[in-house]
């Protein structure tokens, strides 16, 4: 029995060693990890809402979080914004006084909607009012009151998280997966599941490697600052999300939990808010950046994921009242003209609240930035994976606020890890999520930790923090500025900069180099030349000296004569007031006439001096000043021939916001808004890149047609135009085409019956939405081209076909209703989509005219090409591109070369005369005039406004410098008076996560035991314990395996009984006699 017991022990020891090894390697569940499926939902949850699933279960990789989002206007409810903060009694008196006159004209029922939340006891700058029979006159009467600033409808917001199985990763070398955006109407949480790992595709020929992640705070070296005693202490950070459980074991310093919803709970029923809070401030397991920070939890979404604009406004006011330092907002939406929301964000940052917000999950499409992350005063965060690839889901720039006349700003500001990041589970344990709403709290946590390291907290403000982050960011190679902003978050360098910071102004980007590729895309993709449209670079001025500031005198243009700086002209426009903390500096660059035939590089710089009121009036002059330099470097080429120059009409493209302009493809019900700007550098980026590769020079017209010299261009390209046309534009275009300019038009659907029938039904809110126009404004286009006997119809068609040996797809396009008899017309058999929408019937229409080519009869006249669908050149929902067709049309318009594949096509038909059916008419009662640059309201139908004057730039007077320009404009970006060597750090070991191939179907998340608490504990010991434990376990395991092998190989033999020595027996007898006790064995 003794021998059997010893052998049993030897057999069990390796088993226990294996168990220990499994625990160390994370193969087995650890105490504190959540069970599969997460914790049970609370009793007050809606039956159709689930919490976020835990990543500790075996099926983690099979779960994808799909976000759907929508909004609707709440009937009869209006947000009344005031010019200041007033008591509830004063607000009621002002509204009563304003509505008294309106009530005299008829019955007007109204009441103030009570708001029961923590902010109701304090003065407010808005009121929620229910007006039963609100008329435009009564709303105008409200706005006429001197203390009422704005009246806007109350909005109800829906956010849905749905859990669906994730597709298995494709095998290496397979084609990349398509990414379909579920575009929200308004603001939504920006999180995805752990299954969404995407790279940019730049290394698609290699097998994807993924990091085996430690906690994201340690990867970004937060432990270096923890060792120095910085753990976020004294910094108030607010999380606007779904709440947090009261006794969650990960958090030790939750100062306040507030509920702004209509549910009577403070707990998180979904897990998203808990995850975000954990990334910022978790104290154990999946450690956050700032565990000692003061957490303020704002529950602004219900368990049904419903929120209202008024809830956010009240919560924002309360955050200002509580003097919050950092605010994380992992929500976003396309509406940068939601005035109450945007104004309140400005007010927050003006009160020194550093707002960090997710940039959006609508990548890889360009022009998909979300608000408020696209605002100058907000830190907009994009996502990368652990291999430093831009996450596929991360939204891309540019901003579209400035279109059509200007150009967008650089966003995101910074990128950081947003794929497979670990954070706190809803009740306990950890889980992994992906999305820019994950990257946002990573930066918010880093900002909280950085703020706690600064002794003089007065130096920390939204501008100075953003300056430190972007100046210290590590640029990612091979990625442009509209994808990565200023680069990857570098916590340690940001700490060094912030702790040697002096209040100053800075620029974003800090230089303009039109020769640097690919970072400066799209500027680097096309050189400039004499006679071209000015190149506009929109630079953001960050003012760390104060919330308000101004530019002293005017910016100064100083060209470098040895570097041919006098070959370019520069004009500068700028914000009259820098508030809050920021402003714009729009730099327009053009080539001087003397360089019309010259090729080379020209350099110079713009000097800007910013002044801000000094907080201490004892300062000299009562102002702080800072002078910054903006280097400029451009590549100039001789003016290309007219045939190679294409002009893109941006002026007549409209988008959401402010109006409701529908998508061009009616099949895309989950993405109904046309909100990407319709610009060659946003959703027409691929088309632009193709034209550049074919040798064409593409310029943008951001003004009426009357404002360009048509003799300089071969083709005017109009795509998806929604705007009306001035009568003067129609007259000038006819004259220009008679003189040799050519025109290409890509139209889209327009059918008033379909618009009335469909009204863009939103399946989430069960609401009908009336668009202000169709995919394109066909009646306006027909007015433009009617002089040549051309017109589009209101037919609505779709279908696949082959043209010139190319597979094509017609997506919700219109047909050509009228065309000159000597023109070339191509027709195809297509499905009548309009009939399907109106009567749910399917029919194929034979011989639908879709393409027309026409040579105008005047001597030296231009050519016109019409095509009824733009989806084949639009990146938004393109299924099959038709860039070859665009090439063929440009060959025709620019060189008068008719493609034989079209002129001799079997699909060529006689041009339609348009006598069989009436041409489409404008929708009666439409509100296009509200958003149009051409129309204005009138007693009858809207009428054209007076033609605006063409923009004229005021070129800066040069102050030449006879000195050599710097050869490399991009260095490690440093702020003025910042010396990183003066900031001491402990020994820093660069961390590079280990990588290994991830097999198909394997989860992107690993269960890693919790580390040692940062701050008061030795972090280095916590990091080395698992290593030594692993090595010890391996030694013990090896020893017992060897012993077991030896035991099995030796023959069994009986051991002889050992006789005890005589003197020991005598000693034992003596002891027994003396004590009367037996010895312990």
């Amino acid at each position: 029995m003794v021998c059997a017991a010893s052998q049993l022990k030897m057999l069990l020891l390796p088993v226990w060693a294996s168990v220990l090894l499994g625990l160390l390697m994370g193969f087995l569940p650890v105490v504190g990890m959540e069970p599969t499926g997460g914790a049970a939902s609370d009793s007050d949850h809606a039956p159709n809402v689930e919490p976020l699933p835990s990543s500790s279960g075996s099926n983690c990789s099979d779960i994808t979080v799909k976000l759907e989002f929508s909004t609707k206007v709440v009937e009869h409810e209006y947000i009344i914004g005031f010019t200041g903060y007033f008591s509830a009694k004063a607000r009621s008196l002002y509204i009563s006084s304003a509505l008294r006159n309106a009530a005299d004209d008829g019955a007007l029922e109204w009441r103030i909607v009570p708001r029961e939340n923590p902010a109701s006891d304090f003065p407010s700058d808005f009121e929620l009012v229910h007006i039963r029979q609100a008329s435009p006159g009564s709303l105008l009467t409200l706005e006429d009151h001197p203390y009422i600033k704005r009246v806007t409808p109350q909005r109800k917001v829906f956010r849905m998280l749905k859990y669906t199985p994730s597709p298995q990763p494709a095998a290496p070398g397979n084609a990349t997966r398509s990414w379909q955006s579920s575009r929200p109407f308004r603001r939504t949480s920006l999180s995805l599941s752990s299954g969404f790992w995407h790279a940019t595709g730049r290394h698609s020929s290699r097998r994807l490697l993924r990091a085996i992640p430690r906690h994201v705070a340690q990867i970004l070296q937060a432990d270096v600052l923890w060792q120095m005693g910085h753990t976020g202490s004294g910094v108030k950070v607010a999380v606007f999300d779904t709440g947090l459980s009261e006794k969650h074991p990960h958090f030790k310093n939750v100062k306040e939990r507030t509920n702004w919803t209509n549910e009577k709970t403070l707990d998180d029923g979904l897990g998203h808010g808990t995850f975000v809070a954990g990334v910022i401030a978790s104290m154990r397991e999946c450690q956050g950046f700032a565990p000692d920070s003061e957490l303020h939890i704002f529950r602004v979404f219900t368990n049904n994921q419903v929120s209202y604009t008024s809830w956010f406004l009240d919560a924002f006011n309360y955050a200002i009242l509580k003097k919050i330092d950092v605010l994380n907002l992992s929500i976003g939406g396309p509406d940068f003209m939601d005035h109450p929301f945007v104004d309140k964000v400005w007010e927050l940052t003006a009160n020194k609240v550093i707002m960090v917000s997710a940039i959006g999950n609508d990548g890889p499409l360009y022009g998909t930035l979300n608000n408020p992350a696209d605002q100058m005063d907000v830190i907009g965060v994009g996502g990368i994976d652990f291999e430093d690839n831009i996450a596929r889901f991360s939204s891309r720039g540019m901003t579209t606020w400035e279109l059509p006349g200007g150009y967008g700003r650089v966003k995101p500001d910074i990128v950081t890890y947003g794929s497979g990041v670990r954070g706190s589970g809803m009740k306990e344990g950890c889980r992994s999520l992906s999305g820019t709403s994950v990257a946002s709290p990573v930066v918010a946590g880093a900002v909280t930790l950085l703020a706690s390291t600064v002794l003089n907290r007065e130096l920390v403000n939204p501008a100075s923090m953003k300056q430190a982050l972007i100046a210290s960011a590590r640029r990612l190679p091979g990625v442009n500025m509209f994808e990565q902003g200023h680069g990857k978050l570098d916590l340690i360098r940001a700490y060094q900069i912030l702790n040697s910071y002096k209040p100053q102004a800075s620029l974003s980007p800090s230089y303009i180099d039109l020769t640097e590729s690919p970072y400066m895309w799209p500027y680097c993709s096309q050189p400039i030349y004499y006679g071209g449209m000015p190149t506009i670079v929109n630079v953001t001025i960050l003012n760390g000296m104060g919330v308000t500031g101004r530019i002293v005198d005017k910016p100064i243009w100083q060209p470098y004569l040895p570097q041919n700086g006098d070959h370019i002209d520069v004009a500068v426009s700028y914000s009259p007031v820098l508030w809050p903390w920021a402003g714009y500096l729009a730099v327009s660059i053009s080539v001087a006439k003397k360089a019309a035939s010259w090729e080379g590089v020209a350099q110079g710089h713009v000097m800007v001096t910013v002044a801000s009121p000094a907080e201490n009036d004892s300062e000299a002059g009562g102002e702080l000043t800072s002078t910054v330099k903006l280097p400029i470097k451009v590549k100039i080429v001789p003016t290309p021939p007219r045939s190679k120059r294409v002009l893109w009409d941006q002026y007549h493209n409209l988008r959401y916001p402010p109006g409701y302009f529908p998508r061009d493809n009616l099949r895309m019900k989950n993405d109904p808004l046309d909100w990407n700007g319709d610009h060659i550098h946003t959703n027409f980026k691929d088309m632009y890149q193709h034209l550049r590769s074919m040798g064409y020079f593409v310029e943008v017209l951001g003004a009426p047609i009357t404002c360009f010299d048509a003799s300089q261009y071969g083709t005017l390209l109009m795509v998806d135009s929604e705007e009306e046309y001035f009568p003067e534009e129609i007259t000038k275009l006819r004259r220009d085409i008679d003189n040799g300019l050519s025109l290409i038009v890509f139209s889209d659907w327009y059918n008033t019956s379909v618009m009335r029938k469909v009204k863009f039904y939103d399946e989430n809110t069960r609401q009908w939405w009336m668009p202000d126009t169709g995919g394109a404004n066909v009646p306006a286009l027909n007015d433009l081209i009617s002089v040549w006997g051309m017109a589009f119809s209101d037919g609505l068609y779709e279908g696949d076909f082959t043209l010139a040996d190319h597979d094509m797809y017609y997506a919700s396009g219109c047909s050509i209703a009228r065309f000159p008899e000597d023109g070339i017309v191509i027709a195809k058999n297509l499905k009548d989509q309009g009939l399907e929408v109106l009567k749910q019937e399917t029919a194929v229409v034979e011989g639908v005219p879709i393409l027309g080519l026409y040579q105008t009869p005047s001597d030296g006249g231009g050519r016109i090409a019409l095509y009824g669908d733009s989806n084949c050149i639009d990146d938004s929902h393109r299924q099959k591109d038709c860039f070859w067709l665009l090439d063929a049309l440009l060959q025709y318009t620019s060189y008068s070369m008719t493609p034989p594949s079209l002129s001799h096509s079997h699909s060529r038909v006689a041009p339609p005369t348009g006598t069989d059916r009436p041409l489409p008419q404008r929708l009666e009662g439409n509100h296009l005039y509200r958003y149009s640059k051409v129309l204005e309201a009138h007693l009858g139908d809207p009428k054209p406004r007076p033609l605006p004057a063409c923009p004229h730039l005021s070129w800066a007077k040069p102050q030449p410098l006879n000195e050599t320009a710097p050869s490399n404009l991009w260095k490690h970006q440093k702020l003025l008076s910042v010396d990183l060597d003066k900031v001491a750090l402990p020994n820093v070991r660069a961390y590079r996560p280990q990588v290994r191939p991830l097999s198909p179907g394997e989860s992107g998340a690993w269960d890693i035991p919790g580390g040692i608490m940062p701050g008061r504990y030795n972090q280095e010991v916590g990091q080395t314990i698992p290593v030594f434990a692993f090595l010890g376990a391996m030694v013990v395991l090896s020893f017992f395996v060897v012993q077991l092998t030896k035991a099995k190989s030796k023959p069994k033999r009986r051991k002889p009984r050992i006789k005890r020595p005589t003197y020991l027996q005598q000693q034992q007898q003596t002891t027994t006699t003396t004590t009367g006790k037996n010895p312990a064995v």
Side-chain angles (χ1 to χ4, degrees):
M1 292 297 292
V2 173
C3 180
S6 63
Q7 286 187 349
L8 181 61
K9 289 180 181 179
M10 294 180 66
L11 290 172
L12 288 177
L13 279 172
V15 175
W16 285 109
S18 300
V19 171
L20 174 64
L21 178 62
L23 287 172
L24 290 171
M25 294 299 291
F27 294 148
L28 298 178
V30 187
V31 175
M33 292 295 175
E34 289 188 317
T36 304
S41 59
D42 295 338
S43 60
D44 57 345
H45 291 180
N48 61 339
V49 177
E50 303 175 44
L52 287 172
S54 169
S55 66
S56 60
S58 60
N59 295 327
C60 170
S61 61
D62 297 330
I63 297 297
T64 293
V65 181
K66 181 182 178 183
L67 285 164
E68 294 184 3
F69 196 83
S70 60
T71 184
K72 71 173 182 179
V73 174
V74 180
E75 191 175 12
H76 306 311
E77 288 190 6
Y78 298 89
I79 295 174
I80 313 298
F82 295 92
T83 57
Y85 284 79
F86 302 99
S87 65
K89 183 177 180 180
R91 299 195 304 268
S92 177
L93 289 174
Y94 294 153
I95 295 173
S96 176
S97 173
L99 290 176
R100 189 174 297 121
N101 294 332
D104 293 340
D105 300 333
L108 183 66
E109 300 178 14
W110 67 274
R111 60 181 174 84
I112 293 177
V113 179
R115 310 196 308 276
E116 298 178 2
N117 56 53
S120 59
D121 296 332
F122 301 96
S124 177
D125 62 343
F126 79 97
E127 194 65 88
L128 185 61
V129 179
H130 184 279
I131 305 178
R132 183 65 181 173
Q133 297 177 352
S135 64
S138 61
L139 299 181
L140 290 175
T141 302
L142 273 171
E143 292 184 340
D144 287 340
H145 194 278
Y147 291 118
I148 294 179
K149 178 170 63 175
R150 185 180 291 114
V151 180
T152 55
Q154 162 85 317
R155 290 185 178 273
K156 184 177 183 179
V157 182
F158 294 84
R159 180 183 68 174
M160 279 68 68
L161 296 176
K162 295 185 177 180
Y163 310 112
T164 58
S166 298
Q168 295 296 329
N174 287 1
T176 57
R177 288 182 293 170
S178 62
W179 178 271
Q180 185 172 353
S181 163
S182 180
R183 181 60 245 148
F185 274 91
R186 298 270 292 199
R187 307 181 193 282
T188 177
S189 171
L190 299 170
S191 67
L192 303 171
S193 77
S194 59
F196 282 86
W197 286 74
H198 298 283
T200 56
R202 292 179 288 119
H203 309 292
S204 58
S205 61
R206 302 181 183 181
R207 189 173 184 183
L208 178 64
L209 298 179
R210 297 190 189 160
I212 302 176
R214 293 193 302 178
H215 306 302
V216 66
Q218 296 177 355
I219 293 175
L220 291 172
Q221 297 181 298
D223 48 346
V224 174
L225 300 184
W226 296 340
Q227 293 173 40
M228 300 170 65
H230 305 300
T231 56
S233 178
V235 180
K236 299 178 181 179
V237 56
V239 176
F240 277 59
D241 217 288
T242 56
L244 178 68
S245 299
E246 182 179 6
K247 296 181 179 180
H248 198 289
H250 287 187
F251 306 97
K252 64 175 180 178
N253 200 12
V254 179
K255 286 295 183 181
E256 187 177 25
R257 298 184 305 146
T258 52
N259 177 37
W260 305 88
T261 72
N262 54 13
E263 293 181 337
K264 304 302 182 183
T265 180
L266 293 166
D267 291 341
D268 183 4
L270 296 169
H272 189 268
T274 305
F275 180 92
V276 170
V279 173
I280 296 173
S282 173
M283 63 180 289
R284 59 170 57 95
E285 294 187 90
C286 32
Q287 297 166 350
F289 285 83
D292 289 324
S293 61
E294 296 183 11
L295 265 181
H296 294 255
I297 304 300
F298 289 74
R299 189 175 187 269
V300 292
F301 277 98
T302 68
N303 289 334
N304 287 330
Q305 303 219 58
V306 174
S307 187
Y308 290 84
T309 301
S310 60
W311 293 357
F312 274 102
L313 299 183
D314 270 330
F316 284 153
N317 283 340
Y318 193 69
I320 295 173
L321 183 71
K322 302 299 286 187
K323 299 186 183 300
I324 294 296
D325 299 309
V326 182
L327 192 154
N328 181 81
L329 203 61
S330 291
I331 65 170
D335 190 1
F336 55 79
M337 298 187 74
D338 183 4
H339 293 294
F341 191 94
V342 172
D343 289 352
K344 189 57 64 176
V345 170
W346 283 338
E347 185 179 349
L348 274 165
T349 55
N351 282 274
K352 300 188 72 172
V353 179
I354 302 172
M355 179 174 282
V356 183
S357 186
I359 204 68
N361 290 339
D362 297 287
L365 186 65
Y366 279 65
T368 52
L369 301 175
N370 281 207
N371 181 265
D374 62 350
Q375 295 184 209
M376 288 186 286
D377 53 322
V378 175
I379 300 174
V381 184
I384 59 174
D385 63 23
F386 285 103
E387 285 301 299
D388 288 353
N389 297 310
I390 299 295
R392 182 175 174 85
F393 56 73
S394 186
S395 290
R396 273 68 166 170
M398 60 186 179
T399 62
T400 57
W401 294 44
E402 299 79 7
L403 299 178
Y407 194 81
R409 289 171 284 108
V410 175
K411 281 281 183 170
D413 295 303
I414 198 169
V415 294
T416 192
Y417 300 120
S419 291
V421 173
R422 291 171 57 79
S424 299
M426 187 167 64
K427 298 296 183 183
E428 59 183 9
C430 302
R431 61 165 55 92
S432 294
L433 288 179
S434 297
T436 52
S437 74
V438 175
S440 178
V442 170
V443 172
V447 167
T448 304
L449 180 58
L450 288 170
S452 70
T453 68
V454 181
L455 295 178
N456 184 6
R457 295 287 175 87
E458 291 299 319
L459 293 178
V460 180
N461 57 57
S464 64
M465 184 59 72
K466 182 185 281 193
Q467 287 173 328
L469 292 178
I470 67 178
S472 61
R474 300 282 183 177
R475 183 174 296 182
L476 303 177
V479 182
N480 70 57
M481 60 185 178
F482 288 145
E483 292 184 334
Q484 67 168 311
H486 293 269
K488 174 187 172 183
L489 171 67
D490 189 327
L491 183 64
I492 300 304
R493 283 177 56 85
Y495 162 76
Q496 292 176 298
I497 288 177
L498 201 59
N499 278 271
S500 59
Y501 176 81
K502 295 181 180 179
Q504 59 192 277
S506 65
L507 304 175
S508 170
S510 60
Y511 68 97
I512 299 171
D513 187 352
L514 275 59
T515 68
E516 183 184 6
S517 179
Y519 180 73
M520 279 285 172
W521 188 93
Y523 297 109
C524 61
S525 62
Q526 180 169 294
I528 63 175
Y529 42 83
Y530 174 71
M533 292 288 175
T535 298
I536 304 174
V537 183
N538 202 337
V539 178
T540 298
I541 305 172
L542 296 173
N543 179 22
M545 298 179 292
V547 64
T548 184
R550 62 183 178 88
I551 292 181
V552 179
D553 297 327
K554 292 182 179 180
I556 301 172
W557 162 237
Q558 295 183 303
Y560 293 108
L561 293 182
Q563 276 71 42
N564 310 296
D566 56 340
H567 284 48
I568 55 177
D569 296 323
V570 171
V572 181
S573 60
Y574 50 87
S575 303
V577 176
L578 308 181
W579 183 90
W581 308 103
Y584 71 86
L585 182 75
V587 181
S588 300
I589 307 171
S590 189
V591 177
K593 186 175 182 179
K594 64 179 180 180
S597 301
W598 182 78
E599 182 173 357
V601 175
Q603 289 185 250
H605 65 246
V606 174
M607 299 288 292
V608 182
T609 300
V610 176
S612 283
E615 294 184 3
N616 186 352
D617 292 336
S618 63
E619 299 277 351
E623 281 190 330
L624 298 176
T625 61
S626 177
T627 301
V628 290
K629 181 189 296 184
L630 179 68
I632 297 174
K633 183 178 182 180
V634 300
K635 174 66 182 301
I636 300 174
V637 297
T639 303
R642 179 183 185 182
S643 58
K644 284 290 185 182
R645 297 177 61 180
V646 177
L647 187 62
W648 173 271
D649 179 21
Q650 185 69 39
Y651 186 78
H652 295 93
N653 287 336
L654 300 176
R655 87 281 186 213
Y656 175 89
Y660 182 71
F661 298 101
R663 275 290 187 203
D664 307 323
N665 187 347
L666 286 173
R667 292 289 178 193
M668 300 300 168
K669 295 181 180 180
N670 64 335
D671 196 4
L673 296 175
D674 191 353
W675 66 285
N676 305 129
D678 287 345
H679 192 277
I680 58 173
H681 298 152
T682 57
N683 53 308
F684 288 94
K685 168 182 173 285
D686 290 350
M687 181 211 70
Y688 166 75
Q689 293 284 70
H690 176 81
L691 291 181
R692 286 295 300 130
S693 68
M694 299 302 295
Y696 291 99
F697 293 82
V698 188
E699 302 172 38
V700 177
L701 176 65
I705 293 175
T706 54
C707 297
F708 78 99
D709 181 4
S711 65
Q712 299 285 324
Y713 301 93
T715 302
L716 175 64
L717 185 56
M718 292 183 171
V719 179
D720 187 22
S721 301
E722 295 93 355
E723 181 62 280
E724 295 284 338
Y725 297 89
F726 291 103
E728 296 87 346
E729 290 183 293
I730 298 174
T731 302
K732 181 179 182 292
L733 183 62
R734 177 182 181 182
R735 184 170 62 249
D736 290 341
I737 291 179
D738 287 342
N739 292 328
L741 177 70
S742 293
L743 174 67
I744 296 178
V745 178
F746 281 79
S747 183
D748 273 299
W749 71 274
Y750 187 99
N751 185 291
T752 55
S753 298
V754 171
M755 291 162 68
R756 290 190 182 96
K757 175 69 176 180
V758 179
K759 299 180 185 177
F760 269 89
Y761 184 67
D762 177 20
E763 294 178 346
N764 298 317
T765 61
R766 302 297 191 266
Q767 295 291 314
W768 297 98
W769 298 85
M770 176 69 76
D772 295 303
T773 182
N777 192 341
V778 168
L781 284 172
N782 286 347
D783 290 345
L784 188 70
I785 60 179
S786 62
V787 67
W788 295 284
M790 302 177 183
F792 289 105
S793 77
D794 59 358
L796 182 54
Y797 305 97
E798 72 162 343
D800 295 287
F801 60 91
T802 301
L803 181 60
D805 296 327
H806 292 273
D807 292 333
M808 302 279 286
Y809 175 65
Y810 212 67
S812 303
C814 65
S815 64
I816 297 175
R818 184 182 300 166
F819 209 74
E821 60 181 8
D822 53 343
I824 299 172
V825 174
I826 303 297
K828 289 292 179 180
N829 298 337
L830 297 172
K831 184 164 62 175
D832 190 338
Q833 191 177 24
L835 183 65
E836 179 182 355
V837 172
L838 295 173
K839 298 183 179 181
Q840 291 75 49
E841 298 177 2
T842 303
V844 175
V845 181
E846 297 183 356
V848 179
I850 59 173
L851 175 64
L853 308 177
Y854 178 65
Q855 169 68 61
T856 58
S858 59
D859 187 20
R863 288 153 291 282
I864 301 175
L866 306 182
Y867 189 66
D869 179 33
S870 71
N871 282 278
C872 58
I873 58 174
D874 187 341
D875 300 345
S876 299
H877 299 294
R878 185 178 64 244
Q879 298 185 28
K880 298 175 183 177
D881 74 71
C882 62
F883 297 147
W884 72 269
L885 177 61
L886 182 59
D887 291 341
L889 297 182
L890 285 171
Q891 286 287 321
Y892 175 70
T893 58
S894 299
Y895 302 102
S896 189
M897 296 174 57
T898 306
S901 59
L902 298 180
S903 59
H904 299 90
S905 172
H906 296 295
S907 302
R908 182 172 177 177
V909 297
T913 59
T915 57
D916 55 334
R917 58 188 299 179
L919 297 179
Q921 301 296 316
R922 291 170 176 83
L923 180 65
E924 185 177 355
N926 74 81
H927 300 141
L928 184 61
Y929 66 89
R930 295 179 180 176
Y931 325 109
S932 172
K933 301 178 292 295
V934 176
L935 300 178
E936 63 181 357
H938 198 266
L939 293 177
D941 294 331
K943 302 294 182 182
R945 305 171 187 268
L947 180 69
C950 295
H952 290 285
L953 296 174
S954 179
W955 302 107
K957 184 178 180 180
Q959 297 182 12
L961 297 175
N962 193 16
E963 58 184 67
T964 302
S967 58
N968 184 11
L969 302 187
W970 179 69
K971 301 175 182 178
H972 293 292
Q973 298 182 28
K974 296 180 180 179
L975 297 172
L976 301 175
S977 307
V978 172
D979 187 357
L980 300 184
D981 297 332
K982 294 182 179 179
V983 182
L985 287 172
N987 293 330
V988 179
R989 295 179 302 163
Y991 173 72
R992 175 69 175 175
Q994 296 176 341
V995 295
R996 64 177 175 83
L998 190 74
S999 58
E1002 184 178 354
S1003 171
W1006 290 264
D1007 291 327
I1008 303 176
I1012 295 181
M1013 260 299 297
R1016 296 182 295 274
Y1017 299 91
N1018 190 332
Q1019 188 67 21
E1020 289 297 325
V1021 174
Q1023 294 174 8
T1024 55
I1025 283 176
V1027 177
F1028 287 112
F1030 172 75
L1031 293 176
M1034 293 299 294
V1035 170
V1036 172
L1037 180 62
S1038 301
F1039 174 79
F1040 283 108
V1041 169
V1042 170
Q1043 294 299 318
L1044 181 62
T1045 304
K1046 288 182 178 180
K1048 288 184 177 180
S1049 62
K1050 292 181 179 180
K1052 296 181 179 179
R1053 61 181 180 179
R1054 185 178 183 86
K1055 294 183 180 180
R1057 184 179 182 87
I1058 301 176
K1059 201 169 185 179
R1060 297 172 68 87
T1062 305
Y1063 77 93
L1064 288 178
Q1065 296 178 6
Q1066 295 174 354
Q1067 185 178 5
Q1068 180 179 355
Q1069 293 174 359
T1070 303
T1071 305
T1072 305
T1073 304
T1074 304
T1075 62
K1077 296 180 180 180
N1078 292 326
V1081 179

